[in-house]
Amino acid sequence: MSDTNLTAIVYKKGDLRLEETEIKEPGIGQVQLRMCNVGICGSDVHFWTQGAIGDFVVKAPMIIGHEGAGVVNKLGPGVTNLNIGDRVAIEPGVPCKCCKFCKKGRYNLCPRVIFCATPPDHGNLSRFYCHDADFCYKLPDHVSTEEGALLEPLSVSVHACTRAGVTLGSRVLVCGAGPIGLVVLLTAKAKGAAEVIMTDIDKSRLEFAKSLGADHTVLVTSRDPVDTANKVEAILGDKADIAIECSGAPPSIRTAIFATAPGGCVMIVGLGPADVELPIVNATVREVDIRGNFRYANCYPAALDMIASGKVNVKPLITHRFKLEQSLEAFEMAKQGKGIKIMINCEK
Ligand code: NAD
Ligand code: 572
Ligand code: ZN
């Protein structure tokens, strides 16, 4: 029987459909993958429910999904780094490889990057998908394709913790205990952080964070960011060396600044409103550096090594599993904010 290509497509705001699409042939330097697992990310849900994130608007039907792993099914011309049958994690952003940012290794800043499921670029929640072979990472036999899919959010945390300077003995505040805050927790611990304290407005998320190894948690109940920062300081016995903000909520960004020690760093990962009022003078006079994070560059190998070596265990993050045929149900569950990571299996 010939293969078909069931695919999850966002047509427009609120309109997600499962349809058969053509199976593409791999281009030069590409591989055709038989997809295995794709995780649902908050941005996938946002593009479906809102039809846009900032300036990125779904103007034409877009295949969703960017946290994927699959098996090499065909090699395109010129591919030498992979073989048919290899299980790989897919780094979803393929940059131009020529611009000044690409040339200096900061390819996440490439203005011509093609990034799965960021309009107008298609994602990989389908049975078959073609991708540049040099942005596919072969998984060792003992690393599952679910873990391969989780390399994507894990790479965000590797980039954030590296840029924030997390190292042996760091005392780290992580604001927001969603999937990103949780992978930041795991990565900070793997990098040798002495203590990680996490905040959230949701008690169940903090309980989950504790089960993953958070040393302390703070339930945010006050509207005043200084109150929350004081709670963090009371628990740590001092301000944090580093705060990694993973909620995007403006009061939480303000808390991150107030809770960080002089000379420390606040890393902004969470993206909420475009304009946010911040206590910038407070940060300036205490030389608290505020740094930004945009996806990742050169982080997949380190993320894979952390999983393959057993230094991090991302498996507990997967709370729900669906088949590709059940994608609409899976997205409905993600929209309701249930669980942590919802994984879709694309195998027949
Ligand atoms: P999520 O919505 O699942 O998690 C956010 C968490 O923050 C939730 O648990 C929520 O309850 C909590 N929260 C909300 N208000 C809070 C407050 N005032 N104080 C503390 N916690 C609060 O999202 P996620 O998938 O974990 O992603 C987190 C953020 O990271 C999102 O804004 C996302 O867009 C962003 N992100 C950025 C990058 C990047 O490259 N910069 C990459 C991936 C994700
Ligand atoms: O895993 C990549 C990723 N990036 C997210 C969110 C979720 N997953 N970002 C937040 C949204 N931005 S963006 O610049 N954009 C839609 C391109 O607003 C990218 C980073
Ligand atoms: Zn994502």
Side-chain angles (χ1 to χ4, degrees), residues 148-204:
L150 286 167
L151 285 189
E152 204 282 335
L154 193 59
S155 293
V156 173
S157 64
V158 169
H159 194 57
C161 287
T162 303
R163 279 178 56 70
V166 176
T167 188
L168 277 179
S170 301
R171 285 161 311 148
V172 182
L173 164 64
V174 180
C175 305
I180 294 295
L182 294 171
V183 287
V184 167
L185 160 69
L186 296 176
T187 305
K189 283 277 181 170
K191 278 178 155 269
E195 281 182 285
V196 177
I197 181 166
M198 299 194 67
T199 65
D200 207 295
I201 52 171
D202 179 337
K203 203 164 153 244
S204 69

Side-chain angles (χ1 to χ4, degrees), residues 19-85:
E19 284 181 353
E20 296 293 346
T21 63
E22 61 158 335
I23 301 175
K24 292 214 168 119
E25 290 302 309
I28 296 169
Q30 287 195 323
V31 285
Q32 183 194 68
L33 301 167
R34 197 181 276 275
M35 294 301 293
C36 294
N37 281 289
V38 179
I40 301 181
C41 169
S43 73
D44 297 319
V45 177
H46 209 89
F47 280 123
W48 164 44
T49 58
Q50 308 302 312
I53 300 179
D55 295 339
F56 293 83
V57 181
V58 179
K59 293 180 183 152
M62 177 185 79
I63 300 168
I64 201 75
H66 62 273
E67 297 181 357
V71 181
V72 176
N73 192 52
K74 277 186 189 177
L75 302 180
V79 174
T80 54
N81 65 318
L82 293 172
N83 291 306
I84 289 171

Side-chain angles (χ1 to χ4, degrees), residues 22-332:
E22 61 158 335
I23 301 175
K24 292 214 168 119
E25 290 302 309
I28 296 169
Q30 287 195 323
V31 285
Q32 183 194 68
L33 301 167
R34 197 181 276 275
M35 294 301 293
C36 294
N37 281 289
V38 179
I40 301 181
C41 169
S43 73
D44 297 319
V45 177
H46 209 89
F47 280 123
W48 164 44
T49 58
Q50 308 302 312
I53 300 179
D55 295 339
F56 293 83
V57 181
V58 179
K59 293 180 183 152
M62 177 185 79
I63 300 168
I64 201 75
H66 62 273
E67 297 181 357
V71 181
V72 176
N73 192 52
K74 277 186 189 177
L75 302 180
V79 174
T80 54
N81 65 318
L82 293 172
N83 291 306
I84 289 171
D86 284 348
R87 296 153 59 259
V88 298
I90 303 163
E91 180 171 351
V94 179
C96 78
K97 305 170 190 173
C98 299
C99 72
K100 65 179 177 186
F101 301 105
C102 287
K103 282 187 163 175
K104 62 182 174 188
R106 299 188 67 175
Y107 62 82
N108 55 322
L109 305 178
C110 171
R112 291 203 294 274
V113 67
I114 292 170
F115 198 97
C116 289
T118 294
D121 306 323
H122 287 305
N124 50 26
L125 184 49
S126 52
R127 294 242 196 261
F128 293 93
Y129 167 72
C130 291
H131 200 73
D132 284 27
D134 56 346
F135 279 74
C136 294
Y137 300 83
K138 185 169 158 44
L139 300 172
D141 290 346
H142 68 286
V143 175
S144 69
T145 53
E146 287 189 339
E147 291 171 295
L150 286 167
L151 285 189
E152 204 282 335
L154 193 59
S155 293
V156 173
S157 64
V158 169
H159 194 57
C161 287
T162 303
R163 279 178 56 70
V166 176
T167 188
L168 277 179
S170 301
R171 285 161 311 148
V172 182
L173 164 64
V174 180
C175 305
I180 294 295
L182 294 171
V183 287
V184 167
L185 160 69
L186 296 176
T187 305
K189 283 277 181 170
K191 278 178 155 269
E195 281 182 285
V196 177
I197 181 166
M198 299 194 67
T199 65
D200 207 295
I201 52 171
D202 179 337
K203 203 164 153 244
S204 69
R205 291 229 150 159
L206 291 178
E207 282 161 7
F208 198 91
K210 268 271 170 92
S211 76
L212 273 190
D215 298 291
H216 317 278
T217 57
V218 172
L219 182 66
V220 177
T221 50
S222 168
R223 284 169 177 271
D224 180 355
V226 175
D227 278 353
T228 312
N230 286 342
K231 282 186 185 163
V232 170
E233 188 171 345
I235 291 171
L236 288 179
D238 204 345
K239 291 185 190 290
D241 301 311
I242 291 164
I244 306 190
E245 209 301 313
C246 302
S247 78
S252 181
I253 308 175
R254 294 191 270 272
T255 291
I257 292 173
F258 290 126
T260 300
C265 176
V266 173
M267 173 55 57
I268 309 292
V269 180
L271 294 175
D275 293 320
V276 180
E277 194 179 312
L278 295 179
I280 206 76
V281 173
N282 176 290
T284 301
V285 299
R286 297 187 304 116
E287 293 194 357
V288 170
D289 294 341
I290 300 173
R291 306 196 93 190
N293 185 98
F294 189 65
R295 299 170 176 156
Y296 37 75
N298 305 304
C299 292
Y300 261 67
L304 175 53
D305 184 66
M306 288 201 308
I307 289 180
S309 64
K311 285 193 190 78
V312 304
N313 179 12
V314 287
K315 287 181 193 164
L317 293 174
I318 304 172
T319 50
H320 298 83
R321 291 178 171 86
F322 290 87
K323 295 296 292 181
L324 180 58
E325 294 85 337
Q326 304 170 300
S327 290
L328 305 190
E329 223 179 295
F331 269 78
E332 222 22 87

